[in-house]
Structures are given as structure tokens and as C-alpha cells.
Coordinates of all heavy atoms in Angstrom, one line a residue:
A182 N 9.6 -2.5 1.6 CA 9.4 -1.2 2.3 C 8.1 -1.1 2.9 O 7.2 -1.9 2.6 CB 9.7 -0.1 1.3
V183 N 7.8 -0.1 3.9 CA 6.6 -0.1 4.5 C 6.1 1.4 4.5 O 7.0 2.4 4.7 CB 6.7 -0.6 6.0 CG1 5.5 -0.3 6.8 CG2 7.0 -2.0 6.1
I184 N 4.9 1.6 4.3 CA 4.3 3.0 4.4 C 3.2 2.8 5.5 O 2.2 2.1 5.3 CB 3.7 3.5 3.1 CG1 4.9 3.7 2.1 CG2 2.9 4.7 3.3 CD1 4.5 3.9 0.7
L185 N 3.3 3.7 6.5 CA 2.3 3.8 7.5 C 1.5 5.0 7.5 O 2.0 6.1 7.3 CB 3.1 3.8 9.0 CG 2.1 3.8 10.2 CD1 1.4 2.5 10.3 CD2 3.0 4.0 11.4
Q186 N 0.1 4.9 7.3 CA -0.7 6.0 7.1 C -2.0 6.0 8.0 O -2.3 4.9 8.5 CB -1.1 6.0 5.6 CG -1.9 4.8 5.2 CD -1.9 4.6 3.6 OE1 -1.0 4.9 3.0 NE2 -3.0 4.1 3.1
G187 N -2.6 7.2 8.1 CA -3.9 7.3 8.9 C -5.0 7.4 8.0 O -5.0 6.8 6.8
K188 N -5.9 8.1 8.3 CA -7.1 8.4 7.4 C -7.2 9.9 7.4 O -6.7 10.6 8.2 CB -8.4 7.7 7.9 CG -8.7 7.9 9.4 CD -9.8 7.0 9.8 CE -9.4 5.7 10.4 NZ -10.5 5.0 11.1
E189 N -8.0 10.4 6.4 CA -8.1 11.8 6.2 C -8.6 12.5 7.5 O -9.5 12.2 8.1 CB -9.1 12.2 5.1 CG -9.0 13.7 4.7 CD -9.7 14.0 3.4 OE1 -10.4 13.1 2.8 OE2 -9.5 15.1 3.0
G190 N -7.7 13.5 7.9 CA -8.1 14.3 9.2 C -7.1 13.9 10.3 O -6.9 14.7 11.2
F191 N -6.8 12.6 10.4 CA -6.0 12.1 11.5 C -5.0 11.1 11.0 O -5.3 10.1 10.4 CB -6.8 11.5 12.6 CG -7.5 12.4 13.5 CD1 -8.9 12.9 13.3 CD2 -6.9 12.9 14.7 CE1 -9.4 13.7 14.1 CE2 -7.5 13.8 15.6 CZ -8.8 14.2 15.3
F192 N -3.7 11.3 11.5 CA -2.8 10.1 11.3 C -3.0 9.3 12.5 O -3.7 8.3 12.5 CB -1.3 10.7 11.4 CG -0.3 9.7 11.3 CD1 -0.1 8.7 10.3 CD2 0.7 9.6 12.4 CE1 0.8 7.8 10.3 CE2 1.6 8.6 12.4 CZ 1.8 7.8 11.4
T193 N -2.7 9.8 13.8 CA -3.3 9.3 14.9 C -3.3 10.4 16.0 O -2.2 11.1 16.1 CB -2.6 8.0 15.5 OG1 -2.8 7.9 17.0 CG2 -1.2 8.0 15.2
S194 N -4.2 10.4 16.8 CA -4.3 11.5 17.9 C -3.4 11.1 19.1 O -3.4 11.8 20.0 CB -5.7 11.7 18.3 OG -6.2 10.5 18.9
G195 N -2.7 10.0 18.9 CA -1.8 9.6 20.0 C -2.5 8.6 20.9 O -3.3 7.8 20.5
L196 N -2.1 8.6 22.1 CA -2.7 7.6 23.1 C -4.2 7.9 23.4 O -4.6 9.0 23.5 CB -1.9 7.6 24.4 CG -0.4 7.5 24.2 CD1 0.3 7.4 25.5 CD2 0.0 6.2 23.3
D197 N -4.9 6.8 23.5 CA -6.3 6.9 23.8 C -6.5 7.1 25.3 O -6.6 6.2 26.1 CB -7.0 5.6 23.4 CG -8.5 5.6 23.7 OD1 -9.0 6.6 24.3 OD2 -9.2 4.6 23.4
L198 N -6.4 8.4 25.7 CA -6.5 8.8 27.1 C -7.8 8.2 27.8 O -7.7 7.9 28.9 CB -6.4 10.4 27.3 CG -5.1 10.8 26.8 CD1 -5.1 12.4 27.0 CD2 -3.8 10.3 27.6
I199 N -8.9 8.3 27.1 CA -10.2 7.8 27.7 C -10.0 6.4 28.1 O -10.4 6.0 29.2 CB -11.4 8.0 26.6 CG1 -11.5 9.6 26.4 CG2 -12.7 7.4 27.2 CD1 -12.6 9.9 25.3
T200 N -9.5 5.5 27.3 CA -9.3 4.0 27.6 C -8.2 3.9 28.6 O -8.4 3.2 29.7 CB -8.9 3.3 26.3 OG1 -10.0 3.5 25.4 CG2 -8.9 1.7 26.7
L201 N -7.1 4.6 28.5 CA -5.9 4.5 29.4 C -6.3 4.9 30.8 O -5.8 4.4 31.8 CB -4.8 5.3 28.9 CG -3.7 4.5 28.0 CD1 -4.4 3.9 26.8 CD2 -2.6 5.4 27.6
F202 N -7.1 5.9 30.9 CA -7.5 6.4 32.2 C -8.2 5.3 33.1 O -8.2 5.5 34.3 CB -8.5 7.7 32.1 CG -8.6 8.5 33.3 CD1 -7.6 9.3 33.7 CD2 -9.8 8.4 34.1 CE1 -7.7 10.1 34.8 CE2 -9.9 9.3 35.2 CZ -8.9 10.1 35.5
Q203 N -8.8 4.4 32.5 CA -9.5 3.3 33.1 C -8.7 2.1 33.6 O -9.0 1.3 34.3 CB -10.6 2.7 32.3 CG -11.6 3.8 31.7 CD -12.3 4.6 32.8 OE1 -12.6 4.0 33.9 NE2 -12.6 5.8 32.5
Y204 N -7.4 2.1 32.9 CA -6.5 1.0 33.2 C -6.0 1.0 34.7 O -5.9 2.1 35.2 CB -5.2 1.0 32.4 CG -5.4 0.7 30.9 CD1 -6.6 0.3 30.3 CD2 -4.2 0.8 30.0 CE1 -6.7 -0.1 29.0 CE2 -4.4 0.4 28.7 CZ -5.6 0.1 28.2 OH -5.7 -0.3 26.8
D205 N -5.9 -0.2 35.2 CA -5.4 -0.3 36.5 C -3.8 -0.3 36.5 O -3.2 -0.2 35.4 CB -5.8 -1.6 37.3 CG -5.4 -2.9 36.6 OD1 -4.3 -2.9 35.9 OD2 -6.1 -3.9 36.8
E206 N -3.1 -0.4 37.7 CA -1.7 -0.2 37.6 C -1.0 -1.2 36.8 O 0.0 -0.9 36.2 CB -1.2 -0.3 39.1 CG -1.6 1.0 39.9 CD -0.9 1.2 41.1 OE1 0.3 0.8 41.3 OE2 -1.4 1.8 42.1
E207 N -1.4 -2.4 36.9 CA -0.8 -3.5 36.1 C -0.9 -3.3 34.6 O 0.0 -3.4 33.9 CB -1.4 -4.8 36.5 CG -0.5 -6.1 36.1 CD 0.9 -6.1 36.6 OE1 1.1 -5.7 37.8 OE2 1.8 -6.3 35.8
Q208 N -2.2 -2.9 34.2 CA -2.4 -2.7 32.7 C -1.6 -1.5 32.3 O -1.1 -1.5 31.2 CB -3.9 -2.3 32.6 CG -4.8 -3.6 32.7 CD -6.3 -3.2 32.7 OE1 -6.7 -2.3 33.4 NE2 -7.1 -3.8 31.7
M209 N -1.4 -0.5 33.1 CA -0.7 0.7 32.8 C 0.8 0.5 32.6 O 1.4 0.9 31.6 CB -0.9 1.8 33.9 CG -1.3 3.1 33.5 SD -2.3 3.4 31.9 CE -1.1 4.2 31.0
K210 N 1.3 -0.4 33.5 CA 2.7 -0.7 33.4 C 2.9 -1.6 32.0 O 3.9 -1.3 31.3 CB 3.1 -1.6 34.6 CG 4.6 -1.8 34.6 CD 5.1 -2.5 35.9 CE 6.6 -2.6 35.8 NZ 7.1 -3.3 37.0
T211 N 2.0 -2.5 31.8 CA 2.1 -3.2 30.5 C 2.1 -2.2 29.3 O 2.8 -2.4 28.4 CB 1.0 -4.2 30.4 OG1 1.0 -5.2 31.6 CG2 1.0 -5.1 29.2
F212 N 1.1 -1.3 29.5 CA 0.9 -0.4 28.3 C 2.2 0.3 28.0 O 2.7 0.4 26.8 CB -0.2 0.6 28.6 CG -0.3 1.5 27.5 CD1 -1.1 1.2 26.3 CD2 0.3 2.7 27.5 CE1 -1.2 2.1 25.3 CE2 0.2 3.7 26.4 CZ -0.5 3.3 25.2
W213 N 2.8 0.9 29.0 CA 4.0 1.8 28.8 C 5.2 0.9 28.3 O 6.0 1.3 27.5 CB 4.4 2.6 30.0 CG 3.5 3.8 30.1 CD1 2.4 3.9 31.0 CD2 3.4 4.9 29.2 NE1 1.8 5.1 30.8 CE2 2.3 5.7 29.7 CE3 4.0 5.4 28.1 CZ2 2.0 7.0 29.1 CZ3 3.7 6.5 27.4 CH2 2.7 7.3 27.9
T214 N 5.3 -0.3 28.9 CA 6.4 -1.3 28.5 C 6.2 -1.5 27.0 O 7.1 -1.5 26.2 CB 6.2 -2.5 29.3 OG1 6.3 -2.2 30.7 CG2 7.4 -3.5 28.9
K215 N 5.0 -1.8 26.6 CA 4.6 -2.2 25.1 C 4.8 -1.0 24.3 O 5.2 -1.2 23.1 CB 3.2 -2.8 25.0 CG 3.0 -4.1 25.7 CD 3.7 -5.2 25.0 CE 3.5 -6.6 25.8 NZ 2.4 -7.4 25.4
F216 N 4.5 0.2 24.8 CA 4.7 1.3 24.0 C 6.2 1.7 23.7 O 6.6 2.0 22.5 CB 4.1 2.6 24.7 CG 4.1 3.9 23.7 CD1 3.3 3.9 22.6 CD2 4.9 5.0 24.1 CE1 3.3 5.0 21.7 CE2 4.8 6.1 23.3 CZ 4.1 6.1 22.1
I217 N 7.0 1.4 24.6 CA 8.4 1.7 24.4 C 9.0 0.5 23.5 O 9.9 0.8 22.7 CB 9.2 1.9 25.8 CG1 8.7 3.2 26.3 CG2 10.7 1.9 25.5 CD1 9.4 3.5 27.6
D218 N 8.5 -0.7 23.7 CA 8.8 -1.8 22.8 C 8.5 -1.4 21.2 O 9.2 -1.7 20.4 CB 8.0 -3.1 23.1 CG 8.6 -3.8 24.4 OD1 9.6 -3.3 24.8 OD2 7.8 -4.7 24.9
L219 N 7.4 -0.8 21.1 CA 6.9 -0.4 19.7 C 7.9 0.7 19.2 O 8.3 0.6 18.1 CB 5.5 0.2 19.9 CG 4.9 0.9 18.6 CD1 4.9 -0.1 17.4 CD2 3.6 1.5 18.8
I220 N 8.3 1.6 20.0 CA 9.3 2.6 19.6 C 10.6 2.0 19.1 O 11.1 2.3 18.1 CB 9.5 3.7 20.7 CG1 8.3 4.5 21.0 CG2 10.7 4.7 20.3 CD1 8.4 5.4 22.2
E221 N 11.0 1.0 20.0 CA 12.2 0.3 19.6 C 12.1 -0.4 18.3 O 12.9 -0.4 17.4 CB 12.5 -0.7 20.8 CG 13.9 -1.1 20.7 CD 14.3 -2.0 22.1 OE1 13.6 -1.8 23.0 OE2 15.2 -2.7 21.9
E222 N 11.0 -1.1 18.2 CA 10.6 -1.9 16.9 C 10.7 -1.1 15.7 O 11.3 -1.3 14.7 CB 9.3 -2.7 17.2 CG 9.1 -3.8 16.2 CD 10.1 -4.9 16.3 OE1 10.5 -5.4 17.4 OE2 10.7 -5.4 15.2
L223 N 10.0 0.1 15.8 CA 9.8 1.0 14.7 C 11.2 1.7 14.4 O 11.5 1.8 13.2 CB 8.8 2.1 14.9 CG 7.3 1.7 15.0 CD1 6.4 2.8 15.3 CD2 6.9 0.7 13.9
A224 N 11.9 2.2 15.4 CA 13.1 3.0 15.2 C 14.2 2.1 14.6 O 15.1 2.5 13.9 CB 13.6 3.6 16.4
S225 N 14.1 0.7 14.9 CA 15.2 -0.2 14.4 C 14.8 -0.9 13.2 O 15.5 -1.8 12.7 CB 15.6 -1.1 15.5 OG 14.5 -2.0 15.8
F226 N 13.6 -0.6 12.7 CA 13.1 -1.3 11.5 C 14.1 -1.2 10.4 O 14.4 -0.1 10.0 CB 11.7 -0.8 11.1 CG 11.0 -1.7 10.1 CD1 10.6 -2.9 10.3 CD2 10.9 -1.1 8.7 CE1 9.9 -3.7 9.4 CE2 10.3 -1.9 7.8 CZ 9.7 -3.2 8.1
P227 N 14.7 -2.3 9.8 CA 15.8 -2.1 8.9 C 15.4 -1.7 7.5 O 16.3 -1.2 6.7 CB 16.4 -3.5 8.9 CG 15.3 -4.4 9.2 CD 14.4 -3.7 10.2
K228 N 14.2 -1.9 7.1 CA 13.8 -1.5 5.7 C 13.3 -0.1 5.7 O 12.9 0.4 6.7 CB 12.7 -2.5 5.3 CG 13.1 -4.0 5.4 CD 11.9 -4.9 5.0 CE 12.3 -6.4 5.3 NZ 11.2 -7.3 4.9

């Protein structure tokens, strides 16, 4: 089994807008592709 946790005060504030704002079009496309891959990986995690 897996337990995913943050630290006191924050689980995660979500996407790092400050960093993402600097990404170019190619990086942004990669980011969103990988973010949806992550959702798929987590939502289908069998354990």
C-alpha cells in the first residue's frame, strides 16, 4: 500500500505557477501531457 503526504501546512499548493509561467510552448505541452499521465497513473494504481 502507499500513503502520499505533504508537510505541516501544505499537502501541495498545486502547480508551481511561477515556474510554469516561464515555460515555452514545448515545455508547457510536455508539462500538461505528463500531468495527465500522472493522473492516469495515480487513478489506476491497483494497490
